[in-house]
Structure formats: C-alpha cells, structure tokens
Amino acid sequence: MKNELLNGQELFRLFKSGVEEIERNKDLLNKINVYPVADGDTGSNLLYTLKSAITFSNSSDSASEILKSISEQAIIFARGNSGIIFSEFIHGLSFYSVSEQLTVLEFIELVNRSSIRLYEVVKNPIEGTILTVIRKWSAYLKAIKVESFNDLFELSLPIIKKGVDETTKELKDLQKYKVPDSGAMGFYLFMEGFSKSINGEDKEYYSDWKQFESLEIVEDFIDEKYRYCTQFYVKDIRCELSQLVKELEIFGDSIAYSGDEKYLNIHLHTDVPWKVSNVFYKYGTIVNSKVDDMSMQNKHRDKKQRIGILTDSIADISQDIIDQYDIGMLPINLMVNQNVFLDKKTIKIEEFLNYAQDSIEFPSSSQPNDQQIQYELGHYLDYYDQLLIITVSNHLSGTYLGFERYLDNNPELKKRIVLIDSLLNSGGQGLFVKKVAEIVQNENRLEDVLDEILSIRSKIKIYVALNNFENLSKSGRVNKKIATFANKLNMKAILSLDQNGKGKVFGFSLSRKYTEKRILEKIKEALSKGIIDEYVLFYTNESEDFTAFKNKVSLLIKKEPLYCVPISSATALHVGRDSIAIAYVGEL
C-alpha cells in the first residue's frame, strides 16, 4: 500500500531512518570533508544535529506539529556549516502551515520554498555544495507528477545521487581529491533513509562511494583566513537580521543561520570569537555557543600520537604549548546578565571583568554539561586510541565529578579514557598538563606512564597575590563575613592549595609589597631544597606591578618563565583585578 499522506508519527519515522543512515556513514562523511575547510567533522556534526533534534522533539500525530518540533530542536542543536543548513532546511519545511496530514504536493511545495530560503540565509552561497543538490532536487520534484511518497523518494533518489556526484566537478576545492561535497552526500544519505523507511527496502545507490572509506587526507590547514568555526544560539534579537549579519561580516565569513529574531543559530568562521560574542551580547541574549579550532581538527587527521589530552579552561597554558602538544580545552561556562559565555573562547578576561563590574547580578560559572562533554569527547575519541582528561581540583569545581558521572553513565568509555584530578588550578594545572603532554607524546599506552604522571602532581606549587577581597566577598568562595570585612580594610593575602587540592588563604596584609615578599620567600625556600625545573607567571591584567614582580622572580630563579598568560575568567571571577601569581615545579 502506497502512502499518499503522512501524519506526524509516519513523518517522525522517516526522520529517524534518515538519521540512522547518517549514523552508519558518519566516518565516511568525516573522511571526505575538505570544504569549506578540511576539519573532518561533517559526519559528526550532522549526526549530533539531527540525532539531538529527533531525541528532544515532542511526539505528535500532526505532521505540522512534528515538523515544528523537530525544527525547533534542530535550530538549538545545529553544529557546523552543514548542520546549520540542514536545520534551516527543516525549518523551511515547518515555516509554512500545513495540514494535520502532509500531502505529496504540499511536501514538494515546502521543499521548493525551503530551497529558496536557504539561498537567503547563507551569506555568499557557493554552488557545488548541499545548496545546489537541494535546488536541483526541488526542481526535479516540481517537474514530475507522482501521487505517493513511495514513488517520490524512489524516483528522486537517483537525481539527488547524480547531483552529489556532480559537486566533484562543480567545486574546485573538491577536485584535488576527486570527492563529492560531504554535506551534499549527507543530504543524500538522509533522504535514502526516508526512502528505505517508506519503501521497506535496503537498496543502495551509493556503493561507488565506498572507495572513499580508505581515503587519507593529510592537508595543511586550508582556511588561510580564519582559524575558528563558531556558532552562537541567541534569543530575543533586538535588530534586523540583515544588520546583525552586516556587523558580523567585519569579523569573519562562511556566515549561515537558521531561525529568526526570536531564536537564531548562526555559524561563521573567525579569528576573534570573543569579538563576535560582543555583537550578540549587544543585540540579544546568548543561550549557548561552540568554538571549534579548525587548525587543530585538521592536524588530528595526521594523528601522530595515540594518546590525546583534554583539560578544562581553568588551566592557564600558552597557545604555543596548546598547539605544540595538541591539547584540548573544554571551556567553563560563564553567566553574565543571563548570557552564557565560554571561558577563553567567547570572552577574554578584560571584557569579562568589565561585564562583571557593570552586571546587574554578580556573574557565576558552571561546569561543562553532559552535552558539551559528549560533543568534545566524540571528537577526540574519533582520532585517538586513548584520552587523558585532567581537570581542575574537585574541591574548587564540579568539573571532575561531572566527567566522573558522565563516564559512570557511559561505562564503555572507561576502556579508552583515564580521568585525573589535578588537585591544582590555574597556572599550576596548566603546568601539570604541559608536563604530562611531554610524557605521553611518544607513548602507546597510558597505563605505562600513569605512575610517572601522578608523581609530578605533588611537586607543583601555586601562589596567588590577591590584591583585594571584593570578588571573593561576592562569589562566596571564602566566608562572606570574613571576606567582606577584609575587603573593607583593603586587605591583601596569598591564595594557595594544599596537597589535597583545597584552597587556603594566608599572608594577610595591608601591603601589596608584603604579599609579594612572602611569595618570594616561598620561592627561595624551594630553591634551597633543589632546582625549580620550570615556572609560569599569570595575572588578571598586565600592569607595572606584574612587570616588576616578573623581573624579581626571574632574577631570583635565574631563568625566564616558561610563559606569562592571563588568568582564566573563571578564576578571575573569584580573585578579581590586579592579582598576580606563580606556579612552579621542582626538579624531577
């Protein structure tokens, strides 16, 4: 019996089958992903987008309601350029009112309107991509006469396949490897899932694409203009979308969006995601965002290590060392006036401190949620045999427990993941991560070096010269009465960690010089017991005080710091402005 109408439940089954087809071919889509940049994540992004959309959509017998529900979730969870285009395609299907049951003619008209809309929401649309394939498919549907969805998908699948194959010649970037566009291929697979579901057959038209499974793409970073692939989910936008896009063009390209002024998911490539977030902060409310380092993703394809390293953004490490050892960094979430920023990715410390000063409510931070953990782990486990996760001390943040809970709920991951509590934070945590990276870079198994890694942890010390108690009194990290009293007296102090990773405060003084003197005494004490192997300096804001402190420390240790970097905004939330600090490791 052929389907001339589709209700909500039947439509949902088609979507589910389409997602399953993409899931079966995720690795293939990642393999051939060379446009717009060779970051190898199209399959992962499409699967995340569409699987999330159907997982969190509401069940309904109404075709109209199910399209709206899937569309809303697709906009929220869209990842990557192809994910944005897919979500907007679905949004286009739901954009116009349809009946409780969807007819073939209605579906064809919705596809046509959605195809036209895609060219409006993608800035500078490029032919030879998923856009072209959907446009050609739409034109074919309008030209044929079919009465059932069974015939529609069976007859049009070869047309979509032909369109995908033609992208190889239509887009110059694809010709080098003689591969079709990965987003276009993903669209075909999605539609083949529809056809398989409704026609009850396993016929495949893409057997010739199996040749790409053995493809090895080792390419220097292709996008010479921008390093980061970013997306922002923003609500309640207080300007025209055309004005918003115009301002964003100053900072990047590859702009595409899904949604409208009420809820918008927008994608762009940029070198300055923190400046992009400023635009959204000005015009709307940032609900969530993601920033992928395309340069690092590209390097993952030429995997030189078996063991990957992931830490959180409280670890203060220089970008050079992050790049050298391919260290992943999962950002802590920062909430300012109901906007959610990603520490070190969508906000820099100076902007954060300014926002905090002007904020109606004192900002707060939160550990990465399960969806963020899942997204990050999915990428790293695609490229590394094992993954070492090093978190900030569990006494200072719930990040360690968040990872622990996630692994308990996904026990199969424990075979490949080792979770370590650094018992440190900030520059101390960053220095620990750097030392660990040196150890594992040429190793094949974490188990062989785990004892060596843990032995380093206790040799690292950290001291922070706190200039005032204003933020501590607001954040609740220290007893509020004591912190408020100390702040009124403009007291200074030294923050450090004990051997269990718990915070401790000592060296109370009314003088900045005294706290610095006490830290220098701690350094002298360490030097009297041995050699300081390496040290790093960090600060909330560069100042003459920091420069003077750096010079004193360099003379005392008789070597320059490994690096000097700003403290993470998540830490600055508690220590405030004008704080300076050192972390060092003794001779190993």
Side-chain angles (χ1 to χ4, degrees):
M1 182 176 177
K2 296 200 172 183
N3 297 71
E4 297 180 359
L5 299 169
L6 290 175
N7 63 29
Q9 296 298 328
E10 291 166 333
L11 200 53
F12 181 83
R13 283 195 289 271
L14 298 190
F15 272 86
K16 186 173 183 290
S17 180
V19 173
E20 290 169 350
E21 200 65 33
I22 286 178
E23 187 164 20
R24 277 191 287 271
N25 293 276
K26 180 195 75 169
D27 293 340
L28 174 62
L29 294 174
N30 285 340
K31 280 267 188 183
I32 67 166
N33 176 204
V34 298
Y35 180 83
V37 289
D39 47 3
D41 62 358
T42 293
S44 301
N45 285 338
L46 285 181
L47 181 60
Y48 180 86
T49 300
L50 296 169
K51 197 169 187 176
S52 298
I54 64 170
T55 299
F56 294 102
S57 61
N58 296 319
S59 178
S60 175
D61 292 329
S62 164
S64 175
E65 290 302 314
I66 205 71
L67 281 173
K68 287 178 181 177
S69 182
I70 293 175
S71 168
E72 288 171 358
Q73 298 306 316
I75 291 172
I76 292 172
F77 290 104
R79 288 291 184 270
N81 194 53
S82 294
I84 285 285
I85 292 172
F86 257 76
S87 70
E88 186 53 36
F89 172 73
I90 299 169
H91 184 224
L93 298 182
S94 72
F95 203 68
Y96 309 95
S97 58
V98 296
S99 53
E100 295 294 295
Q101 297 190 89
L102 185 64
T103 69
V104 172
L105 288 177
E106 282 176 331
F107 180 76
I108 291 172
E109 181 59 27
L110 290 177
V111 169
N112 179 60
R113 293 184 182 186
S114 186
S115 174
I116 294 170
R117 180 172 166 82
L118 284 176
Y119 279 82
E120 296 171 354
V121 302
V122 176
K123 190 69 178 177
N124 302 319
I126 302 295
E127 295 298 340
T129 64
I130 182 176
L131 299 177
T132 309
V133 172
I134 293 176
R135 176 175 56 77
K136 290 179 178 179
W137 180 53
S138 174
Y140 174 78
L141 292 181
K142 287 187 72 67
I144 63 170
K145 291 185 179 180
V146 290
E147 295 183 354
S148 72
F149 283 98
N150 308 67
D151 294 338
L152 183 150
F153 291 117
E154 185 175 0
L155 292 173
S156 67
L157 265 184
I159 302 302
I160 303 175
K161 171 67 165 59
K162 181 173 181 287
V164 174
D165 289 335
E166 288 172 347
T167 63
T168 305
K169 298 178 180 178
E170 292 171 332
L171 194 59
K172 184 179 178 181
D173 297 62
L174 303 175
Q175 292 174 11
K176 178 177 179 180
Y177 291 101
K178 296 181 174 57
V179 296
D181 178 64
S182 55
M185 185 188 286
F187 183 76
Y188 168 83
L189 294 168
F190 189 56
M191 286 297 120
E192 178 158 292
F194 275 44
S195 183
K196 285 181 178 179
S197 175
I198 202 166
N199 289 312
E201 59 179 25
D202 289 327
K203 184 177 180 181
E204 291 183 350
Y205 293 95
Y206 61 90
S207 58
D208 56 318
W209 289 345
K210 298 294 184 181
Q211 63 179 305
F212 301 126
E213 290 179 350
S214 59
L215 182 69
E216 291 295 335
I217 296 178
V218 179
E219 182 76 63
D220 287 336
F221 188 42
I222 289 177
D223 192 336
E224 298 176 351
K225 294 171 84 174
Y226 302 110
R227 176 165 182 164
Y228 301 105
C229 173
T230 70
Q231 279 180 238
F232 291 83
Y233 181 53
V234 188
K235 69 176 184 178
D236 301 331
I237 296 170
R238 301 178 296 276
C239 70
E240 295 291 330
L241 293 187
S242 58
Q243 178 187 344
L244 185 68
V245 170
K246 188 175 181 180
E247 289 200 29
L248 292 174
E249 284 183 291
I250 299 171
F251 303 115
D253 63 11
S254 295
I255 297 175
Y257 64 82
S258 179
D260 48 35
E261 288 86 351
K262 186 177 180 181
Y263 292 104
L264 184 75
N265 194 331
I266 189 162
H267 166 280
L268 75 158
H269 293 171
T270 182
D271 279 334
V272 285
W274 50 92
K275 291 186 178 180
V276 172
S277 69
N278 285 342
V279 176
F280 293 122
Y281 185 72
K282 179 169 67 172
Y283 290 119
T285 301
I286 303 169
V287 179
N288 61 48
S289 56
K290 68 101 179 170
V291 178
D292 289 335
D293 188 331
M294 296 183 289
S295 176
M296 186 173 288
Q297 287 178 332
N298 181 257
K299 284 193 296 184
H300 283 165
R301 290 186 162 194
D302 184 22
K303 184 176 65 174
K304 296 178 180 177
Q305 298 174 214
R306 292 184 178 274
I307 302 170
I309 296 177
L310 178 66
T311 189
D312 57 70
S313 63
I314 291 180
D316 294 323
I317 320 174
S318 71
Q319 189 63 50
D320 287 343
I321 289 177
I322 289 173
D323 292 342
Q324 179 181 350
Y325 295 105
D326 188 19
I327 297 166
M329 186 168 285
L330 186 60
I332 300 296
N333 298 304
L334 300 166
M335 278 68 74
V336 183
N337 288 331
Q338 299 183 337
N339 288 261
V340 182
F341 293 94
L342 302 180
D343 186 23
K344 291 184 178 174
K345 291 192 174 183
T346 64
I347 193 165
K348 291 292 187 182
I349 185 169
E350 190 58 37
E351 292 159 332
F352 175 75
L353 291 172
N354 289 336
Y355 288 163
Q357 186 174 337
D358 300 334
S359 178
I360 298 171
E361 296 180 351
F362 190 71
S364 61
S365 63
S366 68
Q367 66 201 53
N369 57 45
D370 283 356
Q371 290 170 0
Q372 291 170 311
I373 291 174
Q374 177 188 7
Y375 180 75
E376 202 72 26
L377 293 187
H379 173 75
Y380 272 84
L381 292 176
D382 279 345
Y383 292 100
Y384 289 100
D385 299 330
Q386 289 184 291
L387 182 63
L388 177 60
I389 302 174
I390 302 173
T391 72
V392 61
S393 169
N394 81 90
H395 292 291
L396 304 178
S397 167
T399 303
Y400 177 85
L401 295 177
F403 272 111
E404 188 176 55
R405 183 182 64 250
Y406 185 85
L407 293 176
D408 285 342
N409 292 333
N410 299 273
E412 71 282 0
L413 296 179
K414 292 184 178 182
K415 297 176 183 178
R416 298 176 60 193
I417 294 176
V418 174
L419 176 63
I420 292 179
D421 180 350
S422 72
L423 304 182
L424 297 160
N425 73 337
S426 194
Q429 180 185 348
L431 192 53
F432 179 50
V433 170
K434 186 262 185 185
K435 285 292 185 184
V436 172
E438 290 176 335
I439 293 171
V440 305
Q441 62 177 331
N442 296 314
E443 294 292 336
N444 292 327
R445 295 186 341 125
L446 269 172
E447 293 80 358
D448 296 337
V449 292
L450 199 53
D451 288 342
E452 183 182 358
I453 287 171
L454 294 176
S455 71
I456 297 171
R457 189 171 57 180
S458 61
K459 295 180 172 68
I460 296 175
K461 304 298 180 185
I462 178 173
Y463 299 103
V464 180
L466 183 70
N467 195 50
N468 61 70
F469 279 77
E470 181 178 1
N471 281 39
L472 281 177
S473 68
K474 293 177 180 177
S475 68
R477 183 58 61 91
V478 174
N479 181 283
K480 192 165 185 178
K481 289 184 178 179
I482 295 174
T484 302
F485 177 74
N487 189 50
K488 286 181 179 179
L489 295 178
N490 196 26
M491 293 190 73
K492 324 296 180 187
I494 298 171
L495 303 180
S496 189
L497 299 172
D498 66 19
Q499 61 182 3
N500 297 314
K502 292 183 179 181
K504 60 180 182 179
V505 185
F506 66 96
F508 288 90
S509 170
L510 296 175
S511 166
R512 174 65 169 263
K513 288 183 179 181
Y514 177 79
T515 54
E516 289 183 12
K517 180 182 176 182
R518 287 293 304 275
I519 291 177
L520 292 174
E521 288 173 354
K522 288 289 183 182
I523 296 171
K524 289 177 183 177
E525 183 181 339
L527 289 170
S528 70
K529 297 177 181 178
I531 298 171
I532 288 182
D533 181 58
E534 285 181 325
Y535 74 97
V536 297
L537 300 175
F538 38 107
Y539 51 85
T540 48
N541 48 287
E542 283 193 274
S543 62
E544 292 182 1
D545 285 341
F546 174 75
T547 302
F549 180 71
K550 175 179 176 294
N551 292 336
K552 291 175 185 176
V553 172
S554 300
L555 285 171
L556 186 58
I557 301 179
K558 295 182 173 57
K559 66 171 75 173
E560 291 295 311
L562 184 62
Y563 54 77
C564 300
V565 293
I567 291 173
S568 76
S569 296
T571 303
L573 176 67
H574 306 291
V575 301
R577 289 186 183 275
D578 300 318
S579 292
I580 55 180
I582 182 173
Y584 60 82
V585 57
E587 185 177 21
L588 303 181

